[in-house]
Amino acid sequence: LMSILPPNKPQETVDTPKNYFFYGATMSGKSYLAGEFPNPLFLDTDGNADANPYPSIQLRNIREVDKQGNVTFKQNVIDQLDDVILALQTQDHTYETIVLDVIDDIVVMIEQYITVNAGVDSLGDIGYGKGYAAFNNIFQQLVIDLKSLPINVIYVSRISTWEDNGITKEEPSLKEKHVNIVNGNCDYMIQTKKIGKNYVRTVKA
């Protein structure tokens, strides 16, 4: 009878980082840095695909309205992401990196999918916190599914800048609660900056 328990002996460890979170201002070199990773596949949200020399898939929600005025989705980002992850898990391919560019937009598209299907304007309009719960389930599952892929995963976020007692603060524009879900599954958080003609990358965490 095979035991479910592994043999009690030290395992070879794999310390190679695989999951990354990049954030920075527009044109600060986020996508460029992601493109330096081996064999990247970009999942683009903001129409940057044309400006990008790498293979890419355009993520978008495409809505349609029937004669009764009901809105449904002809295409939605959740199914698109599921299909891409399944293909990367099951098909022969040579991709070694997947880049979500930008994760901020993917969050908005997931929220839009849930609210339109529920016929409401915002997640908070769905009673008993069920809208937020539905979002969190989908988002956390996405992060877990991506992490289980045997390739590099790069989340790209824009930047949010504000003044605090005369000091300029810079954070990812992705909401902190979403950053925490992603970052809990990331090895490195890197901020990109363009200073003069130089591109600077700083490891933040």
Side-chain angles (χ1 to χ4, degrees), residues 33 37 40-41 44 56 58 67 69 78-79 87 106 122 160 189 192:
L33 175 57
F37 280 71
L41 169 63
D44 272 301
S56 63
Q58 184 74 37
K67 291 193 174 82
I78 298 167
D79 289 346
I106 292 172
S122 75
S160 162
M189 184 179 203
T192 57

Side-chain angles (χ1 to χ4, degrees), residues 159-178:
I159 200 164
S160 162
T161 310
W162 75 98
E163 292 282 321
D164 183 18
N165 289 333
I167 296 165
T168 302
K169 300 272 189 157
E170 298 176 323
E171 297 273 323
S173 60
L174 187 64
K175 284 184 189 146
E176 188 178 6
K177 60 184 177 182
H178 301 149

